[in-house]
DNA sequence: ACCTGAACACCGTTCAAGT
DNA sequence: ACCTGAACACCGTTCAAGT
């Protein structure tokens, strides 16, 4: 083991990640700046660059930490029937993401979760294969479910954001200006739109997908 | 008509919106800053604030302009059969959005497109009602389809973004570090992942949803 | 009424210097 | 090896002043 030399570190990657989680939990991802984070760990913004390459790497670190730490369903408790297993895993995935919706913005890329979140695609693809799908179709089934889940989380996050920063004036204006002749259905539901869109429809969509995608 | 008084305007809202479209088309949404936009219209950043309240209003304006201007399917050409009509409208919606994926980031909120884009939800809800759904279920069917569509567009946009700014190193690292014992299915598809995720699976998912949601 | 310049309070990141 | 301060090149937005 080589002798450790030089100045002993004041902060660690783990400190940074912990502080970043706290900032996000308290004030949202938008508040997570290098300067704010530095203040939180009792250091300077520039010191952070000794532990992470840039902000993107920090976010990836954060993501992975979250995925690894989040409780997932016990393998034995998953239903044996393939379709039900996909529903169970996807529901768990959505639940994990719902706790930190900013994740979807960070890693919407490439249809993949972080390294720590690979359990979900693994299990969904595995169940799809068990249901009799060829590998190609199993992967595409997973991607379709992922797109649906990411879209739902994104919409929820955006709606929550709007709600937090004052009334959703835009939607109200849309319905106020609505031409009832051109858009009779929307005019009809207009008054109930807020109530209806507050409902959780994830499961309904998920089951429709699973029924349509798995043989 | 009251006499128009004061200095005649040098730039109009229309000029601003046109220039903004050009900037986005050329260099992406990230490049759309008030200063850049001002340069583009031959003015100063501050002059813009005389025509739009803030950047958010500008984006909404942009969104609406796009939705209004985009060609949508002729009413007569839509299939008569309700399920097929939903598929046709949703496909057109996705196609319209694919042309400007940044839209999804801007208005992912509230499950609604802009004022100019209301045609899509109107037609989808209408077809869902024609298929025999109650209003509540028709709205939730629309929302589910919207979430799926927004998620797909978002993933495509993110993937395109990564591709533009150099190789998708992250995904490669994920597969390189993959523990084949813990994730046998992913290890198996790993080499084909890029190829498989390049495929367009929107239609498959959409038809699964429609089949599962409409009676 | 419309436009301008200077300024404010921020960003992420780099670089040379300290311990 | 690790941390710091000053600086760079940006943001969106406000405000007082010009025409």
């Amino acid at each position: 083991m080589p002798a450790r030399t030089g100045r002993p570190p004041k902060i660690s990657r783990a400190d940074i990640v912990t502080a970043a989680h706290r900032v996000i939990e308290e004030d949202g991802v938008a508040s997570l700046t290098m300067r704010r984070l530095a203040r939180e760990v009792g250091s300077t913004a520039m010191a952070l660059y000794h532990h992470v390459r840039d902000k993107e790497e920090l976010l990836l670190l954060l993501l992975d930490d979250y995925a690894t730490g989040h409780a997932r369903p016990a393998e034995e408790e998953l239903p044996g029937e393939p379709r039900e297993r996909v529903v169970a895993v996807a529901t768990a995935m959505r639940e994990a993401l719902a706790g930190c919706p900013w994740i979807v913005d960070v890693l919407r890329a490439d249809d993949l979760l972080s390294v720590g979140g690979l359990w979900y695609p693994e299990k969904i693809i595995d169940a799809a294969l068990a249901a009799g799908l060829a590998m190609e179709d199993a992967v595409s089934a997973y991607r379709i479910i992922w797109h649906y889940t990411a879209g739902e989380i994104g919409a929820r996050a955006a709606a929550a954001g709007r709600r937090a920063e004052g009334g959703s004036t835009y939607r109200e204006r849309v319905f106020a200006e609505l031409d009832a002749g051109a858009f009779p259905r929307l005019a009809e539901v207009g008054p109930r739109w807020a109530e209806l869109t507050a409902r959780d429809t994830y499961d309904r969509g998920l089951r429709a997908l699973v029924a349509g995608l798995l043989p």
Side-chain angles (χ1 to χ4, degrees), chain A residues 2-189:
Chain A
R4 306 258 260 109
T5 170
R7 188 169 172 166
K10 267 176 61 180
I11 54 174
S12 69
R13 269 166 97 105
D15 292 337
I16 293 174
V17 170
T18 305
H21 269 126
R22 194 170 56 237
V23 171
I24 287 179
E25 189 119 350
E26 284 171 9
D27 299 312
V29 224
S31 300
L32 185 69
T33 68
M34 297 304 266
R35 286 169 167 88
R36 164 76 187 273
L37 188 53
R39 209 187 321 136
E40 212 85 12
V41 297
S43 185
T44 67
M46 300 70 211
L48 301 177
Y49 286 90
H50 244 264
H51 302 269
V52 297
R53 186 151 38 82
D54 51 20
K55 200 181 176 181
E56 167 141 7
E57 193 187 67
L58 171 66
L59 289 171
L60 249 34
L61 230 49
L62 210 53
L63 192 65
D64 202 52
D65 188 65
Y66 196 99
T68 312
H70 197 86
R72 61 187 58 139
E75 207 99 11
E76 320 80 69
E77 286 175 15
L78 290 177
E81 203 278 309
R83 289 175 176 215
E84 281 305 315
R85 204 150 81 236
V86 171
V87 170
V89 175
T91 301
M93 176 167 79
R94 186 256 199 159
E95 205 176 314
L97 291 169
C100 53
W102 53 271
I103 267 188
V104 178
D105 292 316
V106 175
L107 205 64
R108 207 176 26 190
D110 286 332
D111 317 308
L112 258 193
L113 287 171
S114 74
V115 178
L118 291 179
W119 184 84
Y120 300 102
E122 172 72 22
K123 289 304 160 195
I124 290 176
I125 292 172
D126 186 62
L129 291 168
L133 251 44
M135 183 56 99
E136 293 182 9
D137 295 329
V139 170
S140 100
Y142 163 69
R143 289 180 66 224
I144 287 166
I145 290 170
W146 166 249
H147 291 155
Y148 172 60
T149 306
E152 205 263 350
I153 295 288
R156 278 163 64 92
R162 299 255 156 167
R163 217 177 305 123
E165 64 175 52
S168 56
T169 41
Y170 179 70
R171 188 183 63 194
E172 283 157 20
R173 213 180 54 205
V174 166
F175 280 115
E177 290 176 5
L178 199 65
D179 176 355
F183 305 110
R185 298 314 191 177
L186 291 178
E188 193 181 340
V189 271

